[in-house]
Amino acid sequence: MKNKTIFILFTLLLVIGIAAFVIWGVPYFFSPVERVQTESGFGSGTVRAEVTLVIEEGDISLGDNPPQLYQILRVKPLDGEYAGIEFEIDNGRRQVRYDDIHLEPGDELLISITQTPDGTLNAYFVDYVRSRALLVLLGFFVVAILALAGRKGAGSLLGLAFSLLVVIGYIIPHILDGEDPVRVSIIGAAILLSLTLYLTYGWNLKTHAAVLSMLMALIITGTLAWIFVGATKLTGNGDENALFLVQMAQSSINLRGLLLGGMIVGALGVLDDLVITQASAVFELHDANPDLNLLSLYGRAANIGQDHVAATVNTLVMAYAGSALPMLLVFSMSKGNFAYLVNFSFIAEEVVRTLVGSLGLIAAVPITTIIAAYFAMNNDEGFGAMRPFLGEKNSKRAGHHHH
């Protein structure tokens, strides 16, 4: 009787959540966004070009800098208005280079072409074309996923593609349209939750447990982010890219909301890994020893979760430290006081992001464990007439649980 009451409560919460999302979230997601493009911006006016001739090259010293490689190149644009017209560009004779890459005829690069008031065309080196090597790396990644994970790997790739589609096709346009970044991020996260996990892991109790757990952990993470972004007086302008965004956007951007939305979306990726792994561990433990009661199953799975969350939190912190390493080196060279460092907004944002995300991970372990344990205990004969609609049985020994 008690199990039925708990199940009814879970079902009601799930139905209410799905109904609210269908009534409010889905129409909002598919609402058209008319965004005015800026006339110029990052990457505008940039075209691919091929090196046809190395006119001159050598070493040169600019000011107090050590000698560097310079090249005078003849290049031919491969696309754009001036495709096929050859230009001469300078790479390193007038500006400091931070690389020693030697270009040869046939290499591709990105150039920018400008026109002076008197009609003269000038071409400038922008960067190297890396798309071909990145596609090769992507190919290795896809093959490795499919070889190791098979059908689930294919599902994870579909989920990844859908995640990128939601971020690029929904979250970014709606935020640029001036809408509340927190609301947009929450709806986007709910959409990702409801489809990517099921695409990867199928319609079953294990995935249901993971989705419910992640929803609860996201609510906790978002609440903590909202509290401590306000408590630390963060405005969202610690990232210089956010300031560029404000200058370039055609509508008003809520930077504090953008910071909160970024924390929610960022936490989603880490929570995805933790909750599904923890749910899988619970179901595997129950399958290995069906005689474990709810408390024993929870205790054993919680031990696994403790190790996982400890490793994940350490990975999260090291990832942020690695990305901030150049800035930390600059601060150390300038003999700055590290006690003051955390007070700067661009550092405080990363501290809050790391700690809030870590707290969300910590909360996800007991939440996932208890939900997955309850679902696993009722995997075969629980939930009554609703069981056939909840998906395939996760247990590999469903017919051998009676002793």
Side-chain angles (χ1 to χ4, degrees):
M1 187 68 183
K2 186 177 179 181
N3 285 348
K4 287 186 177 180
T5 303
I6 296 174
F7 171 67
I8 290 171
L9 289 175
F10 268 127
T11 305
L12 284 175
L13 287 174
L14 186 59
V15 169
I16 292 172
I18 292 174
F21 177 68
V22 169
I23 294 172
W24 175 62
V26 172
Y28 181 78
F29 174 72
F30 286 105
S31 61
V33 178
E34 296 182 4
R35 178 163 55 89
V36 179
Q37 298 285 348
T38 55
E39 294 182 1
S40 62
F42 187 77
S44 62
T46 301
V47 297
R48 288 187 311 116
E50 179 184 355
V51 177
T52 59
L53 179 67
V54 177
I55 300 174
E56 180 184 343
E57 64 181 17
D59 293 328
I60 190 172
S61 295
L62 299 178
D64 296 330
N65 296 290
Q68 66 180 25
L69 171 69
Y70 79 90
Q71 290 182 294
I72 307 299
L73 307 168
R74 183 171 296 159
V75 300
K76 179 174 63 176
L78 300 176
D79 47 36
E81 182 182 356
Y82 305 105
I85 302 175
E86 292 193 336
F87 292 86
E88 186 176 302
I89 65 168
D90 167 12
N91 185 24
R93 194 169 60 175
R94 294 183 177 85
Q95 73 280 0
V96 176
R97 287 188 62 175
Y98 297 99
D99 63 73
D100 57 355
I101 296 177
H102 184 272
L103 291 169
E104 298 178 350
D107 290 342
E108 291 186 8
L109 64 162
L110 297 176
I111 63 172
S112 176
I113 302 175
T114 61
Q115 187 173 17
T116 61
D118 62 2
T120 303
L121 295 175
N122 295 309
Y124 303 94
F125 171 79
V126 175
D127 215 326
Y128 306 102
V129 172
R130 301 179 173 93
S131 53
R132 198 164 294 155
L134 292 175
L135 284 173
V136 172
L137 178 59
L138 177 62
F140 282 130
F141 169 74
V142 171
V143 170
I145 287 288
L146 293 176
L148 182 64
R151 183 186 65 82
K152 289 186 177 180
S156 69
L157 291 174
L158 287 175
L160 174 61
F162 180 75
S163 298
L164 293 174
L165 177 65
V166 170
V167 171
I168 296 173
Y170 164 72
I171 293 179
I172 291 176
H174 277 274
I175 291 177
L176 289 179
D177 198 43
E179 299 180 25
D180 181 15
V182 177
R183 179 177 59 180
V184 172
S185 299
I186 289 175
I187 295 176
I191 293 169
L192 293 177
L193 276 175
S194 59
L195 288 179
T196 55
L197 282 178
Y198 289 112
L199 278 173
T200 306
Y201 304 105
W203 180 266
N204 51 58
L205 284 178
K206 180 179 70 176
T207 312
H208 301 332
V211 170
L212 284 173
S213 305
M214 196 183 304
L215 281 171
M216 294 181 183
L218 273 179
I219 291 171
I220 293 173
T221 303
T223 303
L224 288 172
W226 177 75
I227 291 172
F228 285 99
V229 163
T232 53
K233 297 179 174 60
L234 293 176
T235 59
N237 59 8
D239 186 353
E240 61 181 11
N241 291 318
L243 300 180
F244 292 146
L245 174 64
V246 171
Q247 295 172 0
M248 294 176 59
Q250 298 292 316
S251 56
S252 176
I253 303 293
N254 180 354
L255 290 184
R256 175 174 283 186
L258 185 62
L259 175 63
L260 285 167
M263 290 183 181
I264 293 170
V265 174
L268 183 67
V270 187
L271 284 170
D272 181 1
D273 170 63
L274 182 66
V275 297
I276 197 65
T277 304
Q278 189 65 14
S280 295
V282 172
F283 275 85
E284 289 298 324
L285 284 171
H286 175 69
D287 185 59
N289 188 357
D291 293 331
L292 289 174
N293 59 31
L294 183 63
L295 188 60
S296 299
L297 180 59
Y298 174 87
R300 290 173 182 267
N303 290 334
I304 298 174
Q306 289 170 4
D307 294 337
H308 192 191
V309 76
T312 305
V313 168
N314 185 58
T315 301
L316 194 64
V317 172
M318 289 299 100
Y320 283 125
S323 63
L325 191 57
M327 182 272 299
L328 293 173
L329 290 172
V330 170
F331 198 82
S332 180
M333 288 174 60
S334 63
K335 298 180 180 180
N337 187 338
F338 279 91
Y340 294 149
L341 183 61
V342 295
N343 294 288
F344 293 105
S345 59
F346 58 93
I347 292 295
E349 284 183 8
E350 299 306 319
V351 171
V352 172
R353 194 190 311 272
T354 303
L355 295 181
V356 163
S358 299
L359 287 170
L361 293 177
I362 294 169
V365 169
I367 292 172
T368 307
T369 306
I370 190 62
I371 294 177
Y374 174 75
F375 280 15
M377 295 288 291
N378 294 275
N379 186 29
D380 295 327
E381 299 175 353
F383 306 125
M386 289 290 296
R387 183 62 189 89
F389 302 100
L390 297 176
E392 62 183 3
K393 295 180 180 180
N394 296 90
S395 174
K396 298 175 183 176
R397 304 179 196 170
H400 302 280
H401 281 185
H402 300 285
H403 300 277

